[in-house]
Amino acid sequence: MPDRRKTASVKAQARGDHSDDGRRQRSEKSREKIIAAMFLLIGQGNMNVSAAQVAKASGVSIRTVFRQFEEVDEIYRQIIARLEEELMPTLLAPYQSRGWKRQLAELIGRRAEIYEYVMPFKVSSAVRRFKSIPLMDDHARFVTLERAGLKAVLPTAISGNRTLLAALDNAASFESWRRLRQDLKLDQKAARETMLFSVNALIGDS
């Protein structure tokens, strides 16, 4: 004769497992909605998104948003991961022009478009990254990609010059783009031309 207490215990445990799975799935779905809402809001230029705005844009309750915001650094990391996935084909695309100087100009043009797109996300996460090792690591990877892309275009005589490479890296960096666009209030075309002018001035007749 079966042990009714044991059978009841197994059934209760099974219900508990299903309940845990359901809660986990709802939590993951809510987080996806929150990430999508933050991606949209920040991309529209809102660099200091509030929980109330996220709740309205995502259709998720304000209580759930606050609960998810306890892991806001991870949310930012997932946003950054989405940006990288979206932009990597542009970063890795072969150059259309020939000769390193023309390729360098093409690189600046690409960066102008990419920097303009990622600027609200970079600015939004900038303050948080100084309090977060994972976000600081993400920023370091971005800087490494910037330098690698620049070195891939430059001849050895320039990339091997540590001081000149650092100056070029700085002139063609996101931080330079942000200053041109936000602090000096240049339009996108003027900012791109200024960045290219700075790079060419550093290269001179090399």
Side-chain angles (χ1 to χ4, degrees):
M1 188 173 181
D3 187 332
R4 292 181 179 178
R5 285 178 298 180
K6 185 175 181 181
T7 302
S9 175
V10 170
K11 289 181 178 179
Q13 185 176 356
R15 284 197 301 271
D17 289 343
H18 289 311
S19 178
D20 289 343
D21 288 343
R23 279 195 296 269
R24 190 159 45 247
Q25 289 175 0
R26 286 193 297 272
S27 178
E28 290 174 357
K29 187 175 293 185
S30 294
R31 173 172 289 210
E32 283 297 316
K33 289 181 179 179
I34 289 169
I35 292 171
M38 287 185 66
F39 198 97
L40 175 65
L41 291 168
I42 296 173
Q44 291 173 341
N46 186 346
M47 297 175 223
N48 189 24
V49 179
S50 69
Q53 291 169 328
V54 174
K56 182 178 180 180
S58 65
V60 175
S61 72
I62 188 72
R63 181 179 178 182
T64 300
V65 172
F66 274 123
R67 190 162 59 244
Q68 293 285 356
F69 265 32
E70 292 176 359
E71 300 177 14
V72 69
D73 286 352
E74 182 57 31
I75 290 175
Y76 269 106
R77 293 200 74 198
Q78 291 190 37
I79 288 174
I80 291 169
R82 290 187 182 191
L83 281 172
E84 289 182 356
E85 183 179 355
E86 186 175 339
L87 296 173
M88 199 57 69
T90 300
L91 287 170
L92 299 179
Y95 289 104
Q96 300 299 311
S97 51
R98 304 186 69 175
W100 70 267
K101 285 191 176 182
R102 290 182 179 179
Q103 288 180 352
L104 181 60
E106 192 176 335
L107 178 142
I108 296 300
R110 286 187 192 182
R111 287 194 175 187
E113 293 180 9
I114 290 172
Y115 288 164
E116 186 68 14
Y117 182 62
V118 303
M119 184 159 58
F121 300 97
K122 294 282 289 180
V123 173
S124 179
S125 65
V127 175
R128 297 203 61 84
R129 82 165 185 261
F130 291 102
K131 303 177 183 178
S132 168
I133 292 176
L135 289 179
M136 189 63 82
D137 289 342
D138 287 340
H139 175 70
R141 188 173 65 254
F142 182 85
V143 171
T144 299
L145 283 170
E146 282 184 311
R147 173 163 286 213
L150 184 62
K151 288 182 70 175
V153 170
L154 298 173
T156 306
I158 293 179
S159 63
N161 184 324
R162 183 177 179 182
T163 302
L164 180 54
L165 177 62
L168 288 168
D169 198 9
N170 181 65
S173 67
F174 168 78
E175 284 74 15
S176 175
W177 181 261
R178 189 210 61 76
R179 179 171 174 79
L180 292 169
R181 293 285 285 119
Q182 291 189 326
D183 296 343
L184 300 184
K185 302 188 185 307
L186 298 182
D187 62 32
Q188 194 171 344
K189 182 175 182 292
R192 184 177 64 251
E193 290 174 348
T194 302
M195 181 174 280
L196 184 58
F197 176 88
S198 300
V199 167
N200 284 332
L202 286 166
I203 291 171
D205 297 326
S206 299

